[in-house]
Amino acid sequence: MKDEESGNRLGSYLRARRELVSPAQAGLPPGRNRRVPGLRREEVALLAGISPDYYLRLERGRDKNPSPQVLEALARVLRLDDVERTYLLGLVAARPRTPRRKRPEHVPARVHELLAHLQIPAFVEGRAFDVLASNPMAVALSPRLRPGRNRLRDLLLDPEEQAFHQDWTKAAADFVAALRSTIGDDTDNPRFVELVGELALSSQRFRALWARHDVRSLDGGTTTVHHPIVGELRLHRDKLAIGDVILVVYYPDKDSDSDEKLRLLAALAHTEPAGAAHDRPADIPDPKTT
């Protein structure tokens, strides 16, 4: 998290997004001998209606309080969507820092009861994609949904998890962008620092995606996965906030082929011995034990 540690998160974000916009996308001629990817600083300044010197000060962290009008102009030039625009504005907006969490993320007892009653894959995750609790159906869907696992780490480093996703490239990009969005200004949170540091050392794909500064909301949606026993499953995903944690559920269209396959998985899940790890309460794991 080098850019966050430098205190120049606005400049880092502007630079990363500038490099992702081509001259053609901005309505400019490509020119010759361009030595930088994307737009030059002076081109961004011209298109946003500000001076090149002022834009340079923004990127270098010499001016950290641009007006909303300037930020809106930059968002337009950099082709930011609504989530990215909100993130850009949040980098500047004055707001109180959230106190550092001094206790592990906790799954309420009633949520464990809920998981036990759900007949679809369901699990609880923390802000850093740590799996804190799960039901037998979730583990039948993927053994990597047991408590103590980290979904992002598995996605980037576990070959079985990569094969599980029909579109692994998109899934990895979405998860990394969602992590950056979740972190927000909580850049000194020990769990985030630990996870980002670990993945930066162990995954080239993570380093490349993290450098893009993409931000994304990873809430509801539909995904296709390849289960090693029942084959392809098309599932909807919903996320529900419960206090400090998130309940995630996966479910198919009723009476669909995936619905039938999920019922087969349910039968398999019921054959697992009682007292499995996913039936126990779990807090944030020590990554060295996963």
Side-chain angles (χ1 to χ4, degrees):
M1 302 173 76
K2 182 178 179 181
D3 53 331
E4 286 83 359
E5 293 170 357
S6 71
N8 185 23
R9 296 171 59 229
L10 174 62
S12 297
Y13 187 66
L14 291 174
R15 181 168 57 253
R17 305 315 298 178
R18 168 171 63 84
E19 293 175 350
L20 296 175
V21 180
S22 70
Q25 288 175 316
L28 298 173
R32 295 182 179 180
N33 301 320
R34 297 183 69 91
R35 294 185 293 178
V36 297
L39 298 178
R40 299 186 178 99
R41 291 189 183 95
E42 57 268 24
E43 291 171 334
V44 175
L46 173 66
L47 294 169
I50 59 179
S51 73
D53 179 66
Y54 180 59
Y55 180 77
L56 180 62
R57 295 204 306 273
L58 290 177
E59 270 205 10
R60 292 186 174 176
R62 296 174 184 170
D63 188 325
K64 298 183 179 180
N65 294 289
S67 69
Q69 292 79 8
V70 167
L71 292 176
E72 292 286 358
L74 291 172
R76 172 179 52 79
V77 173
L78 299 176
R79 302 171 65 85
L80 304 185
D81 61 24
D82 289 342
V83 173
E84 294 163 340
R85 171 183 163 277
T86 299
Y87 182 82
L88 173 63
L89 295 172
L91 291 175
V92 176
R95 53 187 177 182
R97 288 294 307 275
T98 301
R100 178 180 295 182
R101 297 171 184 269
K102 297 183 179 180
R103 60 180 178 82
E105 292 172 312
H106 176 68
V107 182
R110 71 181 189 281
V111 177
H112 285 285
E113 294 294 329
L114 175 61
L115 288 175
H117 283 84
L118 290 175
Q119 300 301 308
I120 55 177
F123 60 95
V124 177
E125 68 180 15
R127 298 174 68 213
F129 298 117
D130 294 305
V131 179
L132 307 177
S134 59
N135 67 1
M137 279 299 296
V139 179
L141 178 65
S142 169
R144 294 164 297 280
L145 290 178
R146 293 180 182 273
R149 306 292 296 223
N150 180 273
R151 298 182 67 208
L152 180 55
R153 184 196 297 119
D154 283 339
L155 186 63
L156 292 169
L157 302 180
D158 190 314
E160 291 185 0
E161 181 68 9
Q162 294 169 9
F164 183 69
H165 292 266
Q166 182 186 62
D167 191 345
W168 174 80
T169 299
K170 182 178 184 301
D174 286 347
F175 266 74
V176 173
L179 177 65
R180 184 176 284 281
S181 181
T182 298
I183 289 175
D185 63 357
D186 197 12
T187 56
D188 60 352
N189 181 295
R191 180 61 185 133
F192 290 141
V193 172
E194 179 183 43
L195 180 62
V196 171
E198 175 192 359
L199 294 177
L201 290 174
S202 55
S203 170
Q204 189 279 331
R205 182 59 178 161
F206 176 82
R207 293 193 295 272
L209 290 170
W210 194 251
R212 289 173 56 94
H213 284 246
D214 290 334
V215 289
R216 203 160 300 160
S217 174
L218 191 59
D219 298 321
T222 301
T223 187
T224 299
V225 298
H226 295 286
H227 193 277
I229 296 177
V230 300
E232 183 175 292
L233 289 164
R234 183 176 182 273
L235 301 172
H236 304 298
R237 177 189 67 237
D238 278 321
K239 290 191 171 190
L240 306 172
I242 302 178
D244 294 337
V245 298
I246 302 293
L247 173 66
V248 185
V249 295
Y250 283 93
Y251 56 95
D253 288 326
K254 185 174 176 57
D255 298 326
S256 65
D257 181 60
S258 293
D259 191 10
E260 182 178 345
K261 292 177 179 179
L262 209 60
R263 294 183 187 185
L264 174 58
L265 281 181
L268 295 175
H270 284 312
T271 66
E272 186 168 338
H278 51 282
D279 292 324
R280 297 196 302 266
D283 293 324
I284 286 184
D286 179 351
K288 295 182 179 62
T289 67
T290 62

